[in-house]
Amino acid sequence: MAKVSPGEFVNQVRTEASKIVWPTGRETIMTGVMVVIMTTMLGLFFFGIDTFFGAIVQWLLSLAAGRA
């Protein structure tokens, strides 16, 4: 790896930092809203799946307990 002087390193960092394209405030808010919506939908989905399988397990356990 080539050795670079501290001054050259700072210049390279500034050059690379100037290439960064930051999102606008509107883009940031829209992305945040989409994250909240998607996590809510996934939470409800997994809650439903968990409830469904929990009911099946309870039914199977009650079925097994009734025959024991």
Side-chain angles (χ1 to χ4, degrees):
M1 195 181 312
K3 300 260 182 178
V4 179
S5 69
E8 182 63 27
F9 175 75
V10 170
N11 286 336
Q12 288 177 0
V13 169
R14 283 187 184 153
T15 302
E16 290 301 317
S18 68
K19 296 177 185 178
I20 297 172
V21 179
W22 294 100
T24 64
R26 187 180 189 319
E27 290 173 333
T28 304
I29 290 172
M30 290 302 292
T31 302
V33 168
M34 289 305 295
V35 166
V36 169
I37 289 171
M38 291 305 293
T39 53
T40 301
M41 288 174 57
L42 280 170
L44 290 172
F45 171 76
F46 285 119
F47 175 75
I49 294 295
D50 184 56
T51 302
F52 174 72
F53 283 116
I56 290 175
V57 168
Q58 287 298 322
W59 176 73
L60 289 172
L61 290 173
S62 68
L63 190 65
R67 293 189 178 174

